[in-house]
mmCIF file of all heavy atoms in Angstrom:
data_model
loop_
_atom_site.group_PDB
_atom_site.id
_atom_site.type_symbol
_atom_site.label_atom_id
_atom_site.label_comp_id
_atom_site.label_asym_id
_atom_site.label_seq_id
_atom_site.Cartn_x
_atom_site.Cartn_y
_atom_site.Cartn_z
ATOM 1 N N LYS A 1 29.460 -73.052 -31.038
ATOM 2 C CA LYS A 1 30.593 -73.983 -31.009
ATOM 3 C C LYS A 1 30.159 -75.397 -31.361
ATOM 4 O O LYS A 1 30.912 -76.153 -31.982
ATOM 5 C CB LYS A 1 31.233 -73.972 -29.619
ATOM 6 C CG LYS A 1 31.869 -72.659 -29.229
ATOM 7 C CD LYS A 1 32.304 -72.697 -27.777
ATOM 8 C CE LYS A 1 32.704 -71.319 -27.271
ATOM 9 N NZ LYS A 1 32.978 -71.328 -25.819
ATOM 10 N N LEU A 2 28.951 -75.754 -30.967
ATOM 11 C CA LEU A 2 28.465 -77.108 -31.179
ATOM 12 C C LEU A 2 28.000 -77.341 -32.610
ATOM 13 O O LEU A 2 28.325 -78.371 -33.219
ATOM 14 C CB LEU A 2 27.315 -77.382 -30.199
ATOM 15 C CG LEU A 2 26.789 -78.810 -30.093
ATOM 16 C CD1 LEU A 2 27.863 -79.743 -29.588
ATOM 17 C CD2 LEU A 2 25.584 -78.849 -29.156
ATOM 18 N N LYS A 3 27.256 -76.396 -33.175
ATOM 19 C CA LYS A 3 26.615 -76.611 -34.468
ATOM 20 C C LYS A 3 27.431 -76.093 -35.655
ATOM 21 O O LYS A 3 27.327 -76.648 -36.754
ATOM 22 C CB LYS A 3 25.246 -75.932 -34.474
ATOM 23 C CG LYS A 3 24.272 -76.478 -33.440
ATOM 24 C CD LYS A 3 23.832 -77.884 -33.757
ATOM 25 C CE LYS A 3 22.754 -78.353 -32.773
ATOM 26 N NZ LYS A 3 22.299 -79.738 -33.074
ATOM 27 N N TYR A 4 28.217 -75.036 -35.461
ATOM 28 C CA TYR A 4 28.866 -74.382 -36.595
ATOM 29 C C TYR A 4 30.389 -74.444 -36.520
ATOM 30 O O TYR A 4 31.037 -74.862 -37.479
ATOM 31 C CB TYR A 4 28.403 -72.925 -36.694
ATOM 32 C CG TYR A 4 26.939 -72.801 -37.036
ATOM 33 C CD1 TYR A 4 25.979 -72.658 -36.036
ATOM 34 C CD2 TYR A 4 26.515 -72.855 -38.351
ATOM 35 C CE1 TYR A 4 24.626 -72.564 -36.339
ATOM 36 C CE2 TYR A 4 25.162 -72.759 -38.679
ATOM 37 C CZ TYR A 4 24.220 -72.614 -37.666
ATOM 38 O OH TYR A 4 22.886 -72.538 -37.977
ATOM 39 N N ALA A 5 30.969 -74.005 -35.434
ATOM 40 C CA ALA A 5 32.429 -73.977 -35.337
ATOM 41 C C ALA A 5 33.038 -75.363 -35.141
ATOM 42 O O ALA A 5 34.229 -75.549 -35.396
ATOM 43 C CB ALA A 5 32.868 -73.064 -34.194
ATOM 44 N N LYS A 6 32.235 -76.318 -34.666
ATOM 45 C CA LYS A 6 32.716 -77.682 -34.395
ATOM 46 C C LYS A 6 33.903 -77.672 -33.428
ATOM 47 O O LYS A 6 34.849 -78.457 -33.548
ATOM 48 C CB LYS A 6 33.099 -78.392 -35.697
ATOM 49 C CG LYS A 6 31.985 -78.449 -36.741
ATOM 50 C CD LYS A 6 30.773 -79.203 -36.232
ATOM 51 C CE LYS A 6 29.672 -79.263 -37.291
ATOM 52 N NZ LYS A 6 28.457 -79.962 -36.803
ATOM 53 N N THR A 7 33.835 -76.751 -32.481
ATOM 54 C CA THR A 7 34.929 -76.600 -31.526
ATOM 55 C C THR A 7 35.105 -77.829 -30.659
ATOM 56 O O THR A 7 36.230 -78.261 -30.378
ATOM 57 C CB THR A 7 34.669 -75.373 -30.629
ATOM 58 O OG1 THR A 7 34.493 -74.221 -31.453
ATOM 59 C CG2 THR A 7 35.811 -75.146 -29.658
ATOM 60 N N TYR A 8 34.005 -78.429 -30.253
ATOM 61 C CA TYR A 8 34.105 -79.540 -29.309
ATOM 62 C C TYR A 8 34.642 -80.805 -29.954
ATOM 63 O O TYR A 8 35.297 -81.613 -29.281
ATOM 64 C CB TYR A 8 32.740 -79.796 -28.673
ATOM 65 C CG TYR A 8 32.212 -78.593 -27.923
ATOM 66 C CD1 TYR A 8 30.899 -78.179 -28.055
ATOM 67 C CD2 TYR A 8 33.053 -77.853 -27.100
ATOM 68 C CE1 TYR A 8 30.427 -77.067 -27.385
ATOM 69 C CE2 TYR A 8 32.596 -76.737 -26.428
ATOM 70 C CZ TYR A 8 31.279 -76.348 -26.572
ATOM 71 O OH TYR A 8 30.821 -75.243 -25.912
ATOM 72 N N GLU A 9 34.393 -80.996 -31.257
ATOM 73 C CA GLU A 9 35.012 -82.133 -31.945
ATOM 74 C C GLU A 9 36.526 -82.005 -31.928
ATOM 75 O O GLU A 9 37.249 -82.986 -31.715
ATOM 76 C CB GLU A 9 34.505 -82.228 -33.380
ATOM 77 C CG GLU A 9 33.108 -82.784 -33.529
ATOM 78 C CD GLU A 9 32.036 -81.720 -33.412
ATOM 79 O OE1 GLU A 9 32.343 -80.612 -32.889
ATOM 80 O OE2 GLU A 9 30.895 -81.980 -33.812
ATOM 81 N N ALA A 10 37.021 -80.780 -32.127
ATOM 82 C CA ALA A 10 38.471 -80.556 -32.078
ATOM 83 C C ALA A 10 39.007 -80.790 -30.670
ATOM 84 O O ALA A 10 40.085 -81.373 -30.495
ATOM 85 C CB ALA A 10 38.799 -79.145 -32.551
ATOM 86 N N ILE A 11 38.264 -80.347 -29.662
ATOM 87 C CA ILE A 11 38.717 -80.526 -28.279
ATOM 88 C C ILE A 11 38.792 -82.004 -27.918
ATOM 89 O O ILE A 11 39.713 -82.450 -27.228
ATOM 90 C CB ILE A 11 37.775 -79.770 -27.321
ATOM 91 C CG1 ILE A 11 37.952 -78.256 -27.496
ATOM 92 C CG2 ILE A 11 38.038 -80.165 -25.864
ATOM 93 C CD1 ILE A 11 36.978 -77.428 -26.691
ATOM 94 N N LEU A 12 37.847 -82.785 -28.404
ATOM 95 C CA LEU A 12 37.822 -84.212 -28.077
ATOM 96 C C LEU A 12 38.944 -84.992 -28.752
ATOM 97 O O LEU A 12 39.171 -86.158 -28.414
ATOM 98 C CB LEU A 12 36.468 -84.819 -28.450
ATOM 99 C CG LEU A 12 35.299 -84.389 -27.574
ATOM 100 C CD1 LEU A 12 33.994 -84.978 -28.097
ATOM 101 C CD2 LEU A 12 35.520 -84.810 -26.122
ATOM 102 N N SER A 13 39.641 -84.370 -29.710
ATOM 103 C CA SER A 13 40.806 -85.025 -30.303
ATOM 104 C C SER A 13 42.036 -84.907 -29.407
ATOM 105 O O SER A 13 43.074 -85.499 -29.689
ATOM 106 C CB SER A 13 41.111 -84.419 -31.680
ATOM 107 O OG SER A 13 41.509 -83.062 -31.564
ATOM 108 N N THR A 14 41.922 -84.137 -28.329
ATOM 109 C CA THR A 14 42.963 -84.019 -27.306
ATOM 110 C C THR A 14 42.586 -84.933 -26.138
ATOM 111 O O THR A 14 41.533 -85.573 -26.151
ATOM 112 C CB THR A 14 43.075 -82.559 -26.829
ATOM 113 O OG1 THR A 14 41.924 -82.235 -26.036
ATOM 114 C CG2 THR A 14 43.149 -81.607 -28.011
ATOM 115 N N PRO A 15 43.419 -85.003 -25.107
ATOM 116 C CA PRO A 15 43.058 -85.844 -23.958
ATOM 117 C C PRO A 15 41.842 -85.367 -23.167
ATOM 118 O O PRO A 15 41.397 -86.063 -22.248
ATOM 119 C CB PRO A 15 44.319 -85.790 -23.075
ATOM 120 C CG PRO A 15 45.427 -85.477 -24.013
ATOM 121 C CD PRO A 15 44.824 -84.570 -25.035
ATOM 122 N N LEU A 16 41.287 -84.204 -23.475
ATOM 123 C CA LEU A 16 40.117 -83.727 -22.745
ATOM 124 C C LEU A 16 38.890 -84.572 -23.086
ATOM 125 O O LEU A 16 38.787 -85.121 -24.188
ATOM 126 C CB LEU A 16 39.832 -82.263 -23.051
ATOM 127 C CG LEU A 16 40.563 -81.238 -22.156
ATOM 128 C CD1 LEU A 16 42.054 -81.285 -22.405
ATOM 129 C CD2 LEU A 16 40.037 -79.831 -22.397
ATOM 130 N N GLU A 17 37.953 -84.655 -22.151
ATOM 131 C CA GLU A 17 36.771 -85.486 -22.305
ATOM 132 C C GLU A 17 35.508 -84.633 -22.205
ATOM 133 O O GLU A 17 35.571 -83.424 -21.962
ATOM 134 C CB GLU A 17 36.767 -86.580 -21.227
ATOM 135 C CG GLU A 17 37.987 -87.490 -21.271
ATOM 136 C CD GLU A 17 38.026 -88.462 -20.107
ATOM 137 O OE1 GLU A 17 37.157 -88.362 -19.210
ATOM 138 O OE2 GLU A 17 38.937 -89.317 -20.074
ATOM 139 N N ILE A 18 34.362 -85.295 -22.401
ATOM 140 C CA ILE A 18 33.075 -84.600 -22.356
ATOM 141 C C ILE A 18 32.895 -83.878 -21.030
ATOM 142 O O ILE A 18 32.419 -82.735 -20.974
ATOM 143 C CB ILE A 18 31.922 -85.598 -22.578
ATOM 144 C CG1 ILE A 18 31.917 -86.082 -24.029
ATOM 145 C CG2 ILE A 18 30.579 -84.960 -22.231
ATOM 146 C CD1 ILE A 18 31.526 -85.043 -25.042
ATOM 147 N N GLU A 19 33.244 -84.538 -19.937
ATOM 148 C CA GLU A 19 33.073 -83.936 -18.616
ATOM 149 C C GLU A 19 33.899 -82.665 -18.473
ATOM 150 O O GLU A 19 33.470 -81.707 -17.815
ATOM 151 C CB GLU A 19 33.457 -84.941 -17.519
ATOM 152 C CG GLU A 19 32.508 -86.107 -17.359
ATOM 153 C CD GLU A 19 32.655 -87.154 -18.446
ATOM 154 O OE1 GLU A 19 33.634 -87.061 -19.239
ATOM 155 O OE2 GLU A 19 31.804 -88.056 -18.524
ATOM 156 N N ASP A 20 35.088 -82.645 -19.077
ATOM 157 C CA ASP A 20 35.927 -81.451 -19.018
ATOM 158 C C ASP A 20 35.284 -80.295 -19.779
ATOM 159 O O ASP A 20 35.322 -79.146 -19.332
ATOM 160 C CB ASP A 20 37.302 -81.754 -19.611
ATOM 161 C CG ASP A 20 37.975 -82.932 -18.938
ATOM 162 O OD1 ASP A 20 37.902 -83.015 -17.702
ATOM 163 O OD2 ASP A 20 38.568 -83.760 -19.640
ATOM 164 N N ILE A 21 34.675 -80.609 -20.938
ATOM 165 C CA ILE A 21 33.993 -79.573 -21.713
ATOM 166 C C ILE A 21 32.831 -78.999 -20.923
ATOM 167 O O ILE A 21 32.655 -77.775 -20.839
ATOM 168 C CB ILE A 21 33.502 -80.151 -23.055
ATOM 169 C CG1 ILE A 21 34.688 -80.550 -23.930
ATOM 170 C CG2 ILE A 21 32.619 -79.144 -23.784
ATOM 171 C CD1 ILE A 21 34.300 -81.248 -25.211
ATOM 172 N N ALA A 22 32.008 -79.886 -20.330
ATOM 173 C CA ALA A 22 30.843 -79.422 -19.576
ATOM 174 C C ALA A 22 31.263 -78.544 -18.400
ATOM 175 O O ALA A 22 30.728 -77.436 -18.206
ATOM 176 C CB ALA A 22 30.030 -80.622 -19.093
ATOM 177 N N LEU A 23 32.227 -79.014 -17.616
ATOM 178 C CA LEU A 23 32.667 -78.236 -16.454
ATOM 179 C C LEU A 23 33.321 -76.928 -16.876
ATOM 180 O O LEU A 23 33.085 -75.873 -16.279
ATOM 181 C CB LEU A 23 33.651 -79.070 -15.632
ATOM 182 C CG LEU A 23 33.067 -80.178 -14.761
ATOM 183 C CD1 LEU A 23 34.190 -81.000 -14.141
ATOM 184 C CD2 LEU A 23 32.165 -79.608 -13.681
ATOM 185 N N GLY A 24 34.156 -76.980 -17.914
ATOM 186 C CA GLY A 24 34.858 -75.791 -18.346
ATOM 187 C C GLY A 24 33.923 -74.722 -18.888
ATOM 188 O O GLY A 24 34.082 -73.539 -18.575
ATOM 189 N N GLU A 25 32.936 -75.124 -19.683
ATOM 190 C CA GLU A 25 32.015 -74.144 -20.252
ATOM 191 C C GLU A 25 31.093 -73.556 -19.179
ATOM 192 O O GLU A 25 30.784 -72.360 -19.201
ATOM 193 C CB GLU A 25 31.183 -74.792 -21.371
ATOM 194 C CG GLU A 25 31.987 -75.120 -22.620
ATOM 195 C CD GLU A 25 32.432 -73.894 -23.387
ATOM 196 O OE1 GLU A 25 32.247 -72.760 -22.916
ATOM 197 O OE2 GLU A 25 32.976 -74.059 -24.489
ATOM 198 N N VAL A 26 30.643 -74.384 -18.252
ATOM 199 C CA VAL A 26 29.831 -73.857 -17.153
ATOM 200 C C VAL A 26 30.647 -72.893 -16.301
ATOM 201 O O VAL A 26 30.165 -71.826 -15.907
ATOM 202 C CB VAL A 26 29.263 -75.006 -16.298
ATOM 203 C CG1 VAL A 26 28.680 -74.476 -14.991
ATOM 204 C CG2 VAL A 26 28.178 -75.759 -17.060
ATOM 205 N N ALA A 27 31.900 -73.258 -16.035
ATOM 206 C CA ALA A 27 32.763 -72.379 -15.239
ATOM 207 C C ALA A 27 32.995 -71.056 -15.956
ATOM 208 O O ALA A 27 32.957 -69.980 -15.331
ATOM 209 C CB ALA A 27 34.093 -73.068 -14.962
ATOM 210 N N TRP A 28 33.222 -71.110 -17.262
ATOM 211 C CA TRP A 28 33.455 -69.875 -18.008
ATOM 212 C C TRP A 28 32.211 -68.984 -18.004
ATOM 213 O O TRP A 28 32.310 -67.774 -17.814
ATOM 214 C CB TRP A 28 33.856 -70.198 -19.439
ATOM 215 C CG TRP A 28 33.837 -69.007 -20.339
ATOM 216 C CD1 TRP A 28 32.989 -68.758 -21.376
ATOM 217 C CD2 TRP A 28 34.696 -67.865 -20.256
ATOM 218 N NE1 TRP A 28 33.264 -67.548 -21.953
ATOM 219 C CE2 TRP A 28 34.316 -66.976 -21.283
ATOM 220 C CE3 TRP A 28 35.747 -67.510 -19.428
ATOM 221 C CZ2 TRP A 28 34.945 -65.757 -21.496
ATOM 222 C CZ3 TRP A 28 36.375 -66.289 -19.630
ATOM 223 C CH2 TRP A 28 35.980 -65.428 -20.647
ATOM 224 N N SER A 29 31.037 -69.571 -18.214
ATOM 225 C CA SER A 29 29.801 -68.787 -18.193
ATOM 226 C C SER A 29 29.578 -68.174 -16.814
ATOM 227 O O SER A 29 29.126 -67.028 -16.697
ATOM 228 C CB SER A 29 28.613 -69.658 -18.590
ATOM 229 O OG SER A 29 28.754 -70.133 -19.916
ATOM 230 N N MET A 30 29.899 -68.939 -15.761
ATOM 231 C CA MET A 30 29.763 -68.402 -14.412
ATOM 232 C C MET A 30 30.733 -67.237 -14.190
ATOM 233 O O MET A 30 30.391 -66.235 -13.557
ATOM 234 C CB MET A 30 30.017 -69.498 -13.378
ATOM 235 C CG MET A 30 29.752 -69.042 -11.948
ATOM 236 S SD MET A 30 30.456 -70.136 -10.704
ATOM 237 C CE MET A 30 32.190 -69.748 -10.860
ATOM 238 N N ILE A 31 31.944 -67.356 -14.726
ATOM 239 C CA ILE A 31 32.929 -66.284 -14.583
ATOM 240 C C ILE A 31 32.432 -65.013 -15.255
ATOM 241 O O ILE A 31 32.551 -63.908 -14.713
ATOM 242 C CB ILE A 31 34.290 -66.719 -15.164
ATOM 243 C CG1 ILE A 31 34.919 -67.780 -14.266
ATOM 244 C CG2 ILE A 31 35.228 -65.525 -15.316
ATOM 245 C CD1 ILE A 31 36.151 -68.424 -14.859
ATOM 246 N N ARG A 32 31.835 -65.161 -16.452
ATOM 247 C CA ARG A 32 31.308 -63.978 -17.127
ATOM 248 C C ARG A 32 30.186 -63.352 -16.305
ATOM 249 O O ARG A 32 30.122 -62.124 -16.154
ATOM 250 C CB ARG A 32 30.802 -64.344 -18.516
ATOM 251 C CG ARG A 32 30.292 -63.134 -19.291
ATOM 252 C CD ARG A 32 30.181 -63.409 -20.765
ATOM 253 N NE ARG A 32 29.803 -62.207 -21.491
ATOM 254 C CZ ARG A 32 29.824 -62.087 -22.805
ATOM 255 N NH1 ARG A 32 30.230 -63.105 -23.545
ATOM 256 N NH2 ARG A 32 29.462 -60.965 -23.398
ATOM 257 N N GLY A 33 29.281 -64.173 -15.777
ATOM 258 C CA GLY A 33 28.236 -63.645 -14.915
ATOM 259 C C GLY A 33 28.800 -62.999 -13.662
ATOM 260 O O GLY A 33 28.275 -61.988 -13.178
ATOM 261 N N ALA A 34 29.889 -63.567 -13.128
ATOM 262 C CA ALA A 34 30.516 -62.996 -11.938
ATOM 263 C C ALA A 34 31.126 -61.631 -12.231
ATOM 264 O O ALA A 34 31.089 -60.722 -11.391
ATOM 265 C CB ALA A 34 31.584 -63.943 -11.403
ATOM 266 N N ILE A 35 31.691 -61.456 -13.434
ATOM 267 C CA ILE A 35 32.260 -60.157 -13.802
ATOM 268 C C ILE A 35 31.151 -59.125 -13.951
ATOM 269 O O ILE A 35 31.259 -57.991 -13.456
ATOM 270 C CB ILE A 35 33.081 -60.288 -15.097
ATOM 271 C CG1 ILE A 35 34.329 -61.144 -14.842
ATOM 272 C CG2 ILE A 35 33.471 -58.916 -15.640
ATOM 273 C CD1 ILE A 35 35.121 -61.466 -16.082
ATOM 274 N N TYR A 36 30.063 -59.500 -14.628
ATOM 275 C CA TYR A 36 28.930 -58.585 -14.759
ATOM 276 C C TYR A 36 28.426 -58.156 -13.385
ATOM 277 O O TYR A 36 28.214 -56.970 -13.125
ATOM 278 C CB TYR A 36 27.800 -59.269 -15.521
ATOM 279 C CG TYR A 36 27.908 -59.231 -17.020
ATOM 280 C CD1 TYR A 36 29.142 -59.354 -17.653
ATOM 281 C CD2 TYR A 36 26.790 -59.092 -17.821
ATOM 282 C CE1 TYR A 36 29.252 -59.335 -19.024
ATOM 283 C CE2 TYR A 36 26.882 -59.071 -19.208
ATOM 284 C CZ TYR A 36 28.116 -59.199 -19.800
ATOM 285 O OH TYR A 36 28.205 -59.179 -21.161
ATOM 286 N N SER A 37 28.187 -59.147 -12.525
ATOM 287 C CA SER A 37 27.625 -58.838 -11.205
ATOM 288 C C SER A 37 28.626 -58.098 -10.336
ATOM 289 O O SER A 37 28.244 -57.235 -9.535
ATOM 290 C CB SER A 37 27.161 -60.126 -10.512
ATOM 291 O OG SER A 37 28.216 -61.067 -10.404
ATOM 292 N N GLY A 38 29.925 -58.409 -10.476
ATOM 293 C CA GLY A 38 30.932 -57.705 -9.691
ATOM 294 C C GLY A 38 30.983 -56.223 -10.019
ATOM 295 O O GLY A 38 31.080 -55.375 -9.120
ATOM 296 N N LEU A 39 30.891 -55.897 -11.307
ATOM 297 C CA LEU A 39 30.848 -54.489 -11.706
ATOM 298 C C LEU A 39 29.593 -53.814 -11.183
ATOM 299 O O LEU A 39 29.618 -52.647 -10.772
ATOM 300 C CB LEU A 39 30.922 -54.382 -13.232
ATOM 301 C CG LEU A 39 32.239 -54.828 -13.876
ATOM 302 C CD1 LEU A 39 32.118 -54.826 -15.393
ATOM 303 C CD2 LEU A 39 33.390 -53.934 -13.429
ATOM 304 N N PHE A 40 28.487 -54.554 -11.171
ATOM 305 C CA PHE A 40 27.238 -53.972 -10.683
ATOM 306 C C PHE A 40 27.277 -53.764 -9.168
ATOM 307 O O PHE A 40 26.678 -52.805 -8.660
ATOM 308 C CB PHE A 40 26.059 -54.868 -11.058
ATOM 309 C CG PHE A 40 24.728 -54.193 -10.910
ATOM 310 C CD1 PHE A 40 24.254 -53.344 -11.893
ATOM 311 C CD2 PHE A 40 23.950 -54.390 -9.782
ATOM 312 C CE1 PHE A 40 23.032 -52.714 -11.765
ATOM 313 C CE2 PHE A 40 22.729 -53.766 -9.640
ATOM 314 C CZ PHE A 40 22.261 -52.923 -10.635
ATOM 315 N N VAL A 41 27.967 -54.649 -8.454
ATOM 316 C CA VAL A 41 28.131 -54.462 -7.006
ATOM 317 C C VAL A 41 28.861 -53.149 -6.733
ATOM 318 O O VAL A 41 28.534 -52.426 -5.782
ATOM 319 C CB VAL A 41 28.880 -55.658 -6.387
ATOM 320 C CG1 VAL A 41 29.315 -55.337 -4.956
ATOM 321 C CG2 VAL A 41 27.992 -56.896 -6.382
ATOM 322 N N LEU A 42 29.846 -52.817 -7.557
ATOM 323 C CA LEU A 42 30.544 -51.533 -7.397
ATOM 324 C C LEU A 42 29.584 -50.362 -7.591
ATOM 325 O O LEU A 42 29.640 -49.370 -6.849
ATOM 326 C CB LEU A 42 31.693 -51.437 -8.399
ATOM 327 C CG LEU A 42 32.874 -52.377 -8.176
ATOM 328 C CD1 LEU A 42 33.910 -52.191 -9.278
ATOM 329 C CD2 LEU A 42 33.515 -52.145 -6.810
ATOM 330 N N VAL A 43 28.693 -50.480 -8.579
ATOM 331 C CA VAL A 43 27.700 -49.431 -8.790
ATOM 332 C C VAL A 43 26.800 -49.300 -7.568
ATOM 333 O O VAL A 43 26.492 -48.190 -7.109
ATOM 334 C CB VAL A 43 26.870 -49.727 -10.054
ATOM 335 C CG1 VAL A 43 25.741 -48.707 -10.219
ATOM 336 C CG2 VAL A 43 27.760 -49.717 -11.290
ATOM 337 N N MET A 44 26.365 -50.446 -7.021
ATOM 338 C CA MET A 44 25.513 -50.432 -5.823
ATOM 339 C C MET A 44 26.241 -49.794 -4.645
ATOM 340 O O MET A 44 25.654 -49.014 -3.888
ATOM 341 C CB MET A 44 25.073 -51.854 -5.473
ATOM 342 C CG MET A 44 24.100 -52.478 -6.447
ATOM 343 S SD MET A 44 23.738 -54.210 -6.029
ATOM 344 C CE MET A 44 23.030 -54.041 -4.378
#
C-alpha cells in the first residue's frame, strides 16, 4: 500500500490523518491474528 498502490496518499486526501492510518492498520493486523488464533483455540 505504501510503495505501489499509494493507498495512504489517497486516504490522506480525506479528513483521516497519519495517526488514524497507524491505528487502523495495527488494529486490522491484530484482528487477522485474532481470527487465526481463535480458529486454533477451537482446534485445541
Side-chain angles (χ1 to χ4, degrees):
K1 295 172 191 173
L2 189 63
K3 298 291 185 180
Y4 294 94
K6 304 299 180 182
T7 304
Y8 300 135
E9 284 87 343
I11 290 175
L12 289 176
S13 66
T14 72
L16 272 67
E17 301 174 355
I18 290 291
E19 290 76 10
D20 304 318
I21 294 174
L23 284 174
E25 290 290 7
V26 167
W28 168 248
S29 297
M30 186 196 73
I31 289 171
R32 182 163 185 169
I35 293 173
Y36 277 37
S37 56
L39 294 173
F40 195 81
V41 168
L42 291 178
V43 175
M44 291 175 60

